[in-house]
Amino acid sequence: MSILEVKDLRKRFGNNEVLKGIDLTLEKGEVLAVIGSSGGGKTTFLRCLNFLEKADSGEIVVNGNTVYRAVSGKEPEILPSAQLSFGLVFQQFNLFPQYSVKENLMLAPRLRAKRKDSAVPYKEALELIGKRADELLATVGLTEKADAYPCQLSGGQQQRVAIARALMLSPDILCFDEPTSALDPELTGEVLRVIRSLKNSERTMIIVTHEMEFARNVADKVIFISEGMIEEQGTPEEVFGSPKSEKTRAFLRSDS
Amino acid sequence: MALFLEVCSQLAGGFVTAFLLFLLTLIFSLPLGLLMSFCTMSKFAPLRVLFKIIVWVLRGTPLMLQIFAIFYLPGLLKWFVWPTMNTGWVWFDTTFTTRFIAALVAFVINYAAYFSEIFRGGIQSISQGQYEAGQVLGLTRREVFFKIVLLQVIKRIIPPMSNEIITLIKDTSLANTIGVLELIWEAKDFMVLDGLIWPLFIAGAFYLIFVGVLTIAFNKIEKKLDYFKA
Ligand SMILES: Nc1ncnc2c1ncn2[C@@H]1O[C@H](COP(=O)(O)OP(=O)(O)OP(=O)(O)O)[C@@H](O)[C@H]1O
Ligand SMILES: [Mg+2]
């Protein structure tokens, strides 16, 4: 069973039809790179997957469960658990400034553990959460920054914290929206290396990026989105090496 | 010297009243102001418009007028509706407590309106990304507001808040217009009854010292929140 199936996802803002029917399947452990020119709808697509925008119509199926279903003109149905199926790393990091790095990681799991319906006693849960935070900080190479505040970190370090924070709740699919485009060029490398290191058979990732080299090296699958539609998809070799569509070719030419 | 001490002790009594009015106003108007700010930002248009009008009226008319209105209007209305069963036209009777309560109500409502605008400015200045980051991490809107946004808002609104709160201290003197025995009233007493002017300056010193203390307190809070940038 595929970990993610997106069926005919559509979204419009007023008269502007931004997503014109996106269909996609992704297997567990796959990395999908999403490329496309500015305004094509890449961000909107990720935001719909993370329910920051509600798609007007279409279906999102995770592990065989339909977590989101919308029919044009009706209120969409969202499973309560849907949100945690996805994680999102923002272009602008969006760390919580008043919390230290480790507190940023722990905040959401901690608040969830505090809720009445939580199965584990709070104290026990807290210990596990702290351990997991330490592990993830090590993964992104920021163990020694655990007690620093976001304003004391470089952009690249902030983005690595944001990645660790998104991983705390073990989402089925982790999404990145241009994770390095707010960074100085010399800082993009450290973030891309961390993302690459996350790749394993358990983690499924969707990465919107303008870093073509990175997409080519890390992705198992690439889609090119243009004007709200998937214009081309395939393996990196197929899309970058021998693109079928004229639009893709033009885009790749202009980008390199 | 004996006179000086007498003046001071009487003024101290007035100061306690003023301080109580100040403190109770803060305690009630801060949460009420937060609630009002939510109403003025509501997606439900009738509620939003209603509260925008309320805030407009409360900020657009003199506080003294509002104190009179709270003190006299209920009685007047009652007199219009049931003229026979009423003994007087003051609904809040003349005991000190009810005068104090009338003043307090007026202050709370008026300051809640001012505070609500400060809260609104603060809340709207927080980037959408903070809310979205919270939502994506599975937090409820409530958790996002109280655990993520609120402290950032507080940090940002401390300067305008301290301004408004310092104004409130001095505004408590308006309560003497309906016979609340606060600082200015007591000082005026000496002027009217004993022909003494200088107690008024002592009263001024009371305000000054209190404002000084609060200024220091606000600076402390500001320093305390200096550890992060928002
Ligand atoms: N909240 C919104 N309201 C109205 N229009 C929007 C909104 N969000 C996005 N759009 C429009 O949707 C279109 C697609 O935007 P989107 O941000 O998804 O593009 P993108 O592919 O991510 O571009 P970029 O590479 O510049 O990030 C644009 O025309 C944009 O103006
Ligand atoms: Mg974008």
Side-chain angles (χ1 to χ4, degrees):
Chain A
M1 187 184 357
S2 304
I3 194 153
L4 175 68
E5 261 182 276
V6 177
K7 297 181 193 161
D8 197 27
L9 209 65
R10 290 167 189 270
K11 176 72 186 174
R12 57 165 64 232
F13 294 108
N15 283 332
N16 185 4
E17 196 175 5
V18 177
L19 297 181
K20 301 171 183 162
I22 301 282
D23 289 278
L24 189 73
T25 48
L26 210 54
E27 305 304 321
K28 190 166 185 165
E30 274 187 331
V31 175
L32 170 72
V34 181
I35 60 173
S37 48
S38 188
K42 305 180 297 295
T43 294
T44 306
F45 174 57
L46 282 196
R47 290 174 62 83
C48 285
L49 284 185
N50 283 274
F51 315 107
L52 294 174
E53 305 286 355
K54 287 182 181 157
D56 302 324
S57 69
E59 259 179 64
I60 300 172
V61 183
V62 177
N63 272 326
N65 300 318
T66 302
V67 299
Y68 184 95
R69 176 187 285 136
V71 181
S72 234
K74 283 199 199 134
E75 192 60 21
E77 304 162 43
I78 312 180
L79 276 195
S81 64
Q83 188 77 64
L84 292 184
S85 299
F86 295 90
L88 178 60
V89 173
F90 298 85
Q91 198 171 343
Q92 300 293 342
F93 332 136
N94 292 334
L95 295 183
F96 307 132
Q98 74 268 42
Y99 292 114
S100 72
V101 164
K102 193 168 172 186
E103 288 166 341
N104 260 276
L105 267 61
M106 291 179 64
L107 181 72
R110 198 166 54 75
L111 291 178
R112 298 184 59 79
K114 241 185 196 163
R115 290 184 192 156
K116 287 193 191 73
D117 53 5
S118 151
V120 192
Y122 182 60
K123 267 226 173 97
E124 263 171 60
L126 201 58
E127 217 164 282
L128 290 175
I129 293 165
K131 253 195 205 140
R132 176 146 181 82
D134 290 333
E135 283 166 21
L136 285 170
L137 281 180
T139 305
V140 300
L142 286 173
T143 302
E144 70 284 14
K145 295 289 183 190
D147 298 317
Y149 286 89
C151 63
Q152 301 166 321
L153 302 179
S154 73
Q157 291 170 332
Q158 290 189 52
Q159 192 60 301
R160 281 145 67 195
V161 175
I163 293 169
R165 183 178 69 178
L167 286 169
M168 280 297 287
L169 294 162
S170 314
D172 295 305
I173 298 129
L174 182 57
C175 305
F176 298 79
D177 189 8
E178 302 193 30
T180 59
S181 57
L183 298 176
D184 293 335
E186 68 268 24
L187 297 178
T188 60
E190 58 183 80
V191 172
L192 294 181
R193 265 194 300 281
V194 164
I195 297 174
R196 183 179 321 193
S197 77
L198 294 178
K199 202 177 151 161
N200 68 26
S201 57
E202 293 298 304
R203 277 202 196 95
T204 312
M205 299 194 274
I206 301 179
I207 308 170
V208 171
T209 184
H210 286 297
E211 304 278 342
M212 294 306 151
E213 250 332 283
F214 175 72
R216 193 192 267 259
N217 291 331
V218 174
D220 301 298
K221 206 170 179 180
V222 178
I223 61 176
F224 171 66
I225 291 188
S226 171
E227 293 168 33
M229 287 185 291
I230 297 183
E231 180 74 21
E232 177 131 8
Q233 60 180 315
T235 63
E237 293 73 37
E238 288 164 356
V239 175
F240 291 110
S242 52
K244 293 187 209 76
S245 139
E246 183 47 46
K247 274 189 191 160
T248 318
R249 257 173 279 167
F251 172 76
L252 290 174
R253 258 201 311 279
S254 68
D255 202 83
S256 51
Chain B
M1 192 61 198
L3 180 63
F4 179 75
L5 287 181
E6 192 197 320
V7 167
C8 282
S9 89
Q10 189 134 355
L11 290 183
F15 176 76
V16 169
T17 305
F19 178 73
L20 263 180
L21 189 55
F22 165 80
L23 195 67
L24 291 172
T25 301
L26 271 192
I27 290 173
F28 292 114
S29 63
L30 283 172
L32 185 64
L34 188 58
L35 213 66
M36 277 170 81
S37 76
F38 290 145
C39 293
T40 56
M41 290 184 288
S42 168
K43 280 192 190 119
F44 182 58
L47 187 69
R48 187 176 64 236
V49 171
L50 174 69
F51 272 84
K52 291 226 170 202
I53 291 173
I54 290 174
V55 168
W56 171 57
V57 170
L58 288 172
R59 296 203 310 164
T61 57
L63 175 54
M64 197 189 283
L65 193 71
Q66 291 167 26
I67 295 172
F68 285 144
I70 300 278
F71 190 53
Y72 295 117
L73 264 187
L76 283 177
L77 288 179
K78 204 166 142 195
W79 185 75
F80 274 120
V81 181
W82 307 286
T84 48
M85 64 171 279
N86 205 304
T87 47
W89 52 280
V90 178
W91 178 65
F92 284 104
D93 66 39
T94 47
T95 65
F96 173 75
T97 320
T98 53
R99 287 169 183 278
F100 182 85
I101 289 173
L104 179 61
V105 170
F107 275 97
V108 167
I109 296 174
N110 180 270
Y111 270 84
Y114 278 97
F115 290 152
S116 79
E117 283 297 275
I118 295 179
F119 281 129
R120 188 172 65 84
I123 290 170
Q124 288 180 338
S125 76
I126 302 298
S127 89
Q128 202 55 36
Q130 293 288 306
Y131 294 91
E132 293 182 349
Q135 186 196 323
V136 168
L137 289 167
L139 302 184
T140 61
R141 287 169 56 125
R142 212 190 155 76
E143 286 169 334
V144 171
F145 184 77
F146 285 104
K147 302 292 179 175
I148 297 172
V149 175
L150 188 58
L151 191 64
Q152 297 179 44
V153 172
I154 288 174
K155 181 181 166 89
R156 286 189 192 188
I157 64 176
I158 291 233
M161 266 298 172
S162 67
N163 243 334
E164 211 53 59
I165 288 172
I166 283 170
T167 306
L168 169 61
I169 297 167
K170 292 168 291 173
D171 274 357
T172 55
S173 61
L174 288 173
N176 88 63
T177 54
I178 56 167
V180 173
L181 309 181
E182 49 64 69
L183 251 177
I184 295 291
W185 178 286
E186 299 290 2
K188 255 180 15 190
D189 237 20
F190 285 106
M191 190 167 71
V192 175
L193 302 177
D194 309 294
L196 297 174
I197 295 287
W198 55 268
L200 273 174
F201 294 100
I202 310 259
F206 269 95
Y207 287 111
L208 213 49
I209 291 169
F210 189 36
V211 168
V213 170
L214 274 181
T215 306
I216 292 170
F218 273 115
N219 282 342
K220 278 231 162 89
I221 298 174
E222 224 167 295
K223 273 247 168 64
K224 225 179 168 154
L225 294 179
D226 247 3
Y227 75 93
F228 72 91
K229 286 202 181 69

